[in-house]
Amino acid sequence: MSTSSAFNDEKGGSSSVGEPEYGHDPASGGIFSSDYKRHDDLKEMLDSNKDSLKLEAMKRIVAMIARGKNASDLFPAVVKNVACKNIEVKKLVYVYLVRYAEEQQDLALLSISTFQRGLKDPNQLIRASALRVLSSIRVTIIVPIMMLAIKEAASDMSPYVRKTAAHAIPKLYSLDPEQKDQLIEVIEKLLADKTTLVAGSVVMAFEEVCPERIDLIHKNYRKLCNLLIDVEEWGQVVIINMLTRYARTQFLNPNINESLLEEGGGGEKTFYASDEDEDEDEEKEKKAEAVTMAKRKPYVMDPDHRLLLRNTKPLLQSRNAAVVMAVAQLYFHLAPKAEIGVIAKALVRLLRSHSEVQYVVLQNVATMTIKRRGMFEPYLKSFYIRSTDPTQIKILKLEVLTNLANETNISTILREFQTYIKSMDKDFVAATIQAIGRCATNIGEVRDTCLNGLVQLLSNRDELVVAESVVVIKKLLQMQPEKHSDIIKHMAKLTDNIQVPMARASILWLIGEYCEHVPKIAPDVLRKMAKSFTNEEDIVKLQIINLAAKLYLTNSKQTKLLTQYVLNLAKYDQNYDIRDRARFIRQLIVPTEKSGALSKYAKKLFLALKPAPVLESPFKDRDHFQLGSLSHLLNAKAGGYQELPDWPEAAPDPSVRNVEVFALLERVTTLTSVPEWTKCSSREKRKEKKVEKPFYSDSEGESGPTESADSESDSGSGSESGSGSEDSRSGSESDESKEASESEEEEEEEEEDLKKKKKKKNEEKQLKKPVQESESEQSSEEEVRKPERKSKQNKSESESESDEDEESESESSESESEDSEDSEAELKKKKKVAPPKPAFKAAKKENKKEKKEMSLLDLDDFEPAPSPQVTPVNTFLSNSLVTDLEGLSLSDAALMPATIAPSSALKSYELLHRITGEGLSVEYCFSRQPFSPDANMVAVQMHFTNNSTSDTKSLHMEDVKLQSGMRVKEFPEIELLPAGETATAVMGIDFCDSTQAANFQLCTHTRKFFVSIQPPVGELMRPFFMTENEFKKEQGQLMGMNEITEKLTLDVKCRNEHTIVQKVTTAANLSRVPCGSDKECRFAGRTVTSSSLVLVTVATKDEGAAQLTVNCEKMVIGTMLVKDILLALTQ
Amino acid sequence: MINSLFLINHSGDIFLEKHWKSVISRSVCDYFFEAKEKAIEPENVPPVLQTPHHYLISIYRDKIFFLSAIQTEVPPLFVIEFLHRVGDTFLDYFGECSETVIKDNVVIVYELLEEMLDNGFPLATESNVLKEMIKPPNILRSVVNTLTGGSHVGDTLPTGQLSNVPWRRAGVKYTNNEAYFDVIEEIDAILDKSGTTVFAEIQGVIEACVRLTGMPDLTLSFMNPRLLDDVSFHPCVRFKRWESERVLSFIPPDGNFTLMTYQVSSQNLVAIPVYVKQNISFLEAGSCGRLDITIGPKQTMGKTVEGLMVTVHMPKAVLSVNLTATQGTHTYDLATKTLVWDIGKLNPQKLPNLRGSLSMQTGVPKPEENPSLNIDLKIQQLAISGLKVSRLDMYGEKYKPFKGVKYLTKAGKFQVRT
C-alpha cells in the first residue's frame, strides 16, 4: 500500500507543478504557472459575457476534472452559468455540477430552480436532460423535489422522458432508501409501459430497488418476453437475467423427469451427484414426493415458459457478447435438457472475441461442461490452445478440455496435452500435468498410459514440471499402489535431485505409505533424509517424521535408531508444529508404561488404508450461482447478488400473468403504426406475426389493415380514453383489452369497421372482460381467440342480429331509434346514452343513475350466453365469472339499485351523518361487485340522501389522502341532488390489501366534509372458485406462519351448515368451495390487490365446538380475518 | 452498475477518470496495479478483480487499460462489452484509440462518456446517435470553431434515440449514394509439425460502408448461404428474414459498421493456402541452434498470396540470430525475443526461404520446445470459403445507389507448431 500511496502523492505533486497544457487549444496553453492564478483567471473568464470565454474556461475545468484534479473551489463561479444559453457551456456546467454538487450541497441548491424550469420545458429532450442532471446531483435536501420530478416524468408523454425517469429511480433510491415504497409505485407504473425504450431501464431500476417484488412482473411478463427483441442490447441483458430468476419461481423444472431417471437408474451419479438431492432428509422426501407426482403426471411445459425460451433464442445471434451470455445462462438454467445444445455454438463463437470476453465465457463454459458435457463435445477442437493465448485463457481452456474428456476422445486430448507440456509457459505446463492427472482418475482406461507419461516427465529438466508430476503421480498411485512398486522406486531415487518441497514431501509420503512394497529402499531414504533433516522445509520435515514412524512400525529392526534420531532432531525444531508432531508420535509408537493402550493401535492408526483422493474440477457445483454473473465468476457472493431460486415443486398459479396479454397486443399494434418505413420492415412484422400466430408463420400480406388501425390507436389513445373516461365503467385497462380484441379480429374485419367496432366494444367490455379473463387461463394466445369469437357469435345469436346489423347499429349511436322496437335494444340505448352524459340536468337524475348502475348488470342480463359457453372450455370458473353469475341472478330478480348487491347480507356504514352533513347523509357499503375500471379496486357503493329542504349541487370528492400504494377512482360528480331525493354512486378504492382508511373530502357546492372509508378486512378480497383438490393443494402450501387456527364454540343458532356459510360469507367476500364432508365448510378468495390466496376452513365437531383455520400468505390479513369470522360465528 | 472508469496507460498512470455515481478514490486502482505487477504481461491481468469494497473489471486494448470500478453484482460481460464499446467509439471519433489522442480530446471524451452512461447504465452507445449529439472533431471544424467560438456539440438533440431505428440518424443526405460491402474471411488454424491440420476454421465478417440518402431498406442475398453456419448480426438485421429466406434484410446505420460475422460450417474442409517447411533445432553443445523455414503455396485458388509474414517468439535463451532470407526482410527484437520475417508477395516459382543460426546463452539448458510460427497473409479478391454475394436490392428510396462488394482472405490465428 505504501508504494501506491507514494504513487498517488507523486501524481498529485506532478500535477501542481507540471500540468503543461489543457487540450489542444492554443488559448488554454500553460501560461499560468500556479494554481491560484490559474483559477483566478478561470473565474474571470466564467464571469465574462462572452460565451466563447466561458466555454474555454469550462473546457479547461472539465479537463481538470478528467485528470482527477480538484476544481471544487470554482463551484460558485461555475454554478452561476447553469442557466447559460449556450448549449455547450451548459452541458459542461452540468458535467461539473454532477461531479461536485455532493461536496458543495448548499451552493448546488442554487441550480435547482433551473432544472425545475427545465422539467416543464415543452421539448422532451430538455425535460429529460433536466431530470437526468437533477437526479444525478446527490444532495439529500432535494429528495422530495426529485421524487416529485420522477413521478411527473413517469407519466410524461414522451417515452424518452419516461426512460430517464426510470434511470433516476435507482439514483434516488441510493440517495435515500426511505423512499422505497414510493419508488416501487413508480416502478410498477413504468413496468406497465409499453415502449421498448423504457423496458430495459425500468427493469434495471426494478433490479436495483426491489428485486424481491417478483409479483410486479406477473402482469408484464408476456409483454417483456415479446418486446425483448426490440429492446436495446443493454436492456436485453438486464431483462433476460431478471426473467431467468422469475421463471425459476414460477415454472416447473423441465428436467424433473430426467432427474428422476438419473436417480432411478443409479449409474455413476447416484446419490450425491445430482444437485437435486439436498442433504436434508426432509427435503429429499419432499422432492421424492414431487418426483413421484411428476411420474404420475407427465410434465407439460407452461406456455409462458415456452414463450420465454422461444423469444430469447434469436438473441443468441446478437453481436453483443453480454446478450449471448445472458441467453445462454437462461437456457442453461431453464431449458429442457434436449434444447440446451443450441447455446454451445454461440458460446464457442464468443471465443473469437476479445480475450477478456474469452476469459468470462470460458469460466462459464467450464461450469456448464461439468453438468452437460455432451453439449460442447462437438466443439472440442475450438478449445485447443495456441501458444499466443494469455496464460489465464490457456488454463481455462485446459479446464474445459479436461471436463470434456471421455473414453472416445481421450486419446486426441492426451496427444494435445503432450504438445502443451513442452510449452515455455511453466504455469501452463503445471496446469497441464494436473489436467492429465484428472483425466487419468476419471477415465480408468488411460490411467496406465497417463502414469507412464508422467513418469517420463520425472526426468524432465525443469524442476517445476517434475515436482508437479510427482504430486500428481502420488495421487494416481494411491489408487492402485501394488502394481507400481517400480514407479515408487524410481521416485525414491528422485529425492536426491528434486528440491521443490511439495514434491519431496509427496515422495516421502508415498514411500512411507507403501514401504512394504519397497522394503529395501525405504530405510535408505530415511537415512538420507535424517541427514538433511535440519535443512528441509517444514512440510518436508513433517513427512520425514511420518516416514520414520511408519518404518518404525513395519521394520523396527532396521530403523529404530534412525527414528529415534529423527524424533530427537524434531524435538528441538524451531517450528512448534514439528515439535508437537514429534512428541505425539513418540508417545504413540514407542511403547512405554503410560501409553500402553494407544500404542497397540499405532499400526492401525498409521497404516490405515487411505481413500484415494478425488481430483475434482474447481468449477464443480459452481452452477448454484447464476451463470454469467459476477458472483459465479468470483465463486463468491457479490454484493447485491440475487440468488437463483430453486424450482418450485408445484407451479404457482399461472393465471397471474394473464391480464397483460391484451395490453401487449395493443402495444404491438401500436408499434407497427408510426413510421412510414414500417411497411417493409419485417422487424415490425415479426411482432405482428407473434400476435396472430405465435409460431412464426408469415403474414406479411396482412399488415395493411393493422397499420391503419394502429396509427389510430396510437395517436388516438388519448382521444379514445377521453371518450371513455366519461364513462365511469371504462378504465384504461378495459381500453387495452378492447383494443386487443380488435387486433385479434382484424383478420375478419374490414379496416373501416374498426372505429365502429371500438364503440361497440365499449359496451361489450363489461361482458367480455370477465370472459377473456377466464379464457386466458388457457394461456396460449391462439386458443384465446377462439372462444372469444365464439362468445361473439353467441352474443349475436342471442340478440338475433346479424353482424352487419350490429355494425350499422353502432355506427349510428345517436340515431339508434331504428332498432327501438326491440325492447332489448331500447335498454341498450338507454345504457348507451346514459354513461357518456352523466351530467344530464334533470330531475330524473336519480333515475338515470339507477339505470347507469343497472347497465352494469343489464349487459349480463342481456347476453347471458357467454358464461355458460365458456364454462365447459375452462376447467374451472374464474372468480370474475362467479361474480358475474351472482350479478346475473340478482339483475334478474329486480331492477332496483338497492338490490344490486346482495343487500340482505351487505352491511352499510355511515360516511356522513345527517346532522354533521347539514341535511346530507351518506352511507356506503361494499357492493362486492368487481370494479370494472380497475380490477384491483374494491367497489364502494355510496348512497346519498338529501334530507334538507334545499337542493345540493355538485356533489364530488376532493383532496384524497392515501397511504402509499393506495389509489382511488373517484365517483363522477353528482350535479344535482334535489331535496328529499337519494342518489347512488360507485367509487373504487385500491386498499393495497391493508385496512388503512382512505381519507377524502366530500364537497358540495357550499360545504366540505372530511370523511374516511375504512374497509373491514373481509372486503379486501374477492371470491375465488376452486375445486376441493386445488383447495387442499393450496392449503398444503400455505402452512406454518401462513396458517392461523382458532378453536371456538359455535352459537346455538348457527350450528348448521347453512348459517355458517351465511355468516362467513357475510363477514368476508369469499366463495364456497365444494366439500365432501359435511363437517367442514371451506371458502376461498383472493385479495383484491395482490391476488394472494385466502383460504378459510370451518370444521365443526360435536357440541358446537369448531375449529377455524385461515390460510393466507398475508399474515396480517389472515389474523384480522380470523378475528372477524370468529366474531361473526360466535355472536 | 458501472461506478467509475479509469483510463490507465502502459506505465501505470491514470490519465483520465470519470465517475457516474459518488466519487471513488483512485487509490482503488492500487489493487489493480498489484495484479498488474504479478501478471508480468498486460494480457495476463485478470479482467475481474475483487477488492474489499469494489470489484474491478478491466480490459486492455491499444496499450490502454480501461478499468471500471463496480460496487454490486453485474454480469461481467456486460461491463467488458461496454468498455470495448467505449474503445470502439473513441476509434470511431478520433481514428485511433491512444493515450495521446484521448488527452488531446479530453473534453469530447468526457462528454461522450457522460452520454454513454447514465448512473452507470448504458444510455446511448450507437455511434450514429452519439455523433449527432457530439460532433466528431475534424480539422476544418476545429479551425472554424476557434475562430467563431462555435462548438462541437450539436444544437439539436438527436432524434435517433427516439425513433424506432435507433441506429440510424434521420435526414441523411448524400449526393453520391453508395453502399460497399467487404467480405473478409480469416483462417484460424493450428498445423502440427508434419503439416497436418490439427484444427482449422474460417471466420468471416461483412463490413459495410453505407452512404445512402433517406431511409433505405436493403436486402443482401448470397449465392450459397448454406455455407454459413453460425452467424451474429448487427441489431439492424431482421433475424426472421434470415431464418426463413436466408437473406439479410436491414435498414443500415449511416456510415461504417459491421453487418454480420459468421463461421463457415465445420463440415467443409478448410483450404489452407500455404504450406510451411521448417526445421528449428537447438543443439545441446555449442550453445547454438539452426533455423530453416520455407513457405510455399498450397491451395490458393489461383490467387496470389500477399502480405506474407512469419512471427516467431523465440525461447528466452536465444540471444541473437544470424539469418539470411531469400526474399523480404527479417528483424529480431531482443527485448521481446520476437523474430519477424516480412516476406511480402509469395512467388510460386521461387519459394522464400529463411535460414541461418541462432546463438544461445551459454550454460542454459536447451529449450524444451521449439517455438511455433505465427503466419500472416492476405489474399485479395477471394473468400476462401467460396461465399459469394449474389445481389443487393434497395427498397424505400427512389435513387439508384452505387454498389460494390470486395472479398479478402486473411490469416487469423494461424499457427504452425514445430
Side-chain angles (χ1 to χ4, degrees), chain A residues 290-343:
Chain A
V291 166
T292 41
M293 256 173 65
K295 211 180 204 172
R296 263 187 273 124
K297 213 166 35 175
Y299 169 79
V300 181
M301 188 184 271
D302 189 310
D304 286 328
H305 191 170
R306 174 54 64 202
L307 177 76
L308 178 62
L309 292 176
R310 196 173 56 220
N311 283 358
T312 47
K313 196 174 164 190
L315 294 177
L316 282 174
Q317 254 61 49
S318 171
R319 63 165 171 178
N320 187 319
V323 177
V324 177
M325 189 65 231
V327 179
Q329 64 84 21
L330 180 131
Y331 262 74
F332 182 78
H333 289 300
L334 300 180
K337 196 181 171 192
E339 292 170 40
I340 296 180
V342 294
I343 64 173

Side-chain angles (χ1 to χ4, degrees), chain A residues 88 132 352 422 461 631, chain B residues 26 73 114 151 188 365 369:
Chain A
E88 193 177 7
R132 231 182 107 186
R352 281 271 300 165
K422 287 190 231 146
R461 241 176 304 129
S631 305
Chain B
R26 50 166 71 186
E73 166 69 46
E114 184 76 30
S151 69
D188 284 358
E369 185 198 29

